[in-house]
Amino acid sequence: MTARVELTVTDVDTAQAVGSGDVPVLGTPRVLALAEAATVAATASRLPAGMTTVGMRVELDHRVPTPVGRTAVAQARLAKVDGRRLLFEVAVTEGATTVAEGRVERVLVDRHRFVERAQQGPA
């Protein structure tokens, strides 16, 4: 399973705007959100009815800044399945440059039960 998601960087995506720094380039939280969006897209049409995935663990190296106006592309590939756990390898590029890479682990859950438990709060 693979997926590709694109983002043209705007002022609202910068480190300044998201509070992760004071520079006008793509902020790391937005890089992570883009990578996660690719993992969600990779499984979106392949899950059983009523099921979804939720993020569990992320390892991400954000290596290169991406200025406003440029397009960042996240690609996710399902690398391993361990029961309900799905491990994706992700890469974010801008042209031929690797902006970030890492792994995102997601867990398969029943959407209704997950939301219901979340609304109940901590045990």
Side-chain angles (χ1 to χ4, degrees):
M1 290 186 213
T2 62
R4 180 179 190 272
V5 177
E6 294 186 8
L7 171 72
T8 299
V9 181
T10 67
D11 290 335
V12 300
D13 303 307
T14 65
Q16 288 172 322
V18 299
S20 66
D22 65 357
V23 289
V25 298
L26 182 61
T28 302
R30 291 295 292 132
V31 172
L32 172 57
L34 187 62
E36 282 200 293
T39 67
V40 170
T43 60
S45 65
R46 296 172 179 91
L47 295 178
M51 302 298 283
T52 191
T53 63
V54 294
M56 180 178 158
R57 178 174 299 140
V58 175
E59 295 175 21
L60 187 71
D61 294 324
H62 186 183
R63 299 181 176 151
V64 177
T66 306
V68 170
R70 302 272 178 86
T71 300
V73 177
Q75 295 187 27
R77 181 182 69 82
L78 181 61
K80 182 179 178 183
V81 176
D82 182 11
R84 295 184 315 128
R85 292 181 180 195
L86 309 175
L87 180 64
F88 292 87
E89 292 178 350
V90 295
V92 179
T93 57
E94 191 266 308
T97 302
T98 298
V99 171
E101 58 187 352
R103 296 187 300 229
V104 175
E105 188 172 346
R106 301 186 68 79
V107 178
L108 185 65
V109 298
D110 178 284
R111 178 182 288 112
H112 176 75
R113 283 194 336 205
F114 182 85
V115 172
E116 193 173 76
R117 286 182 181 163
Q119 291 174 342
Q120 291 172 359

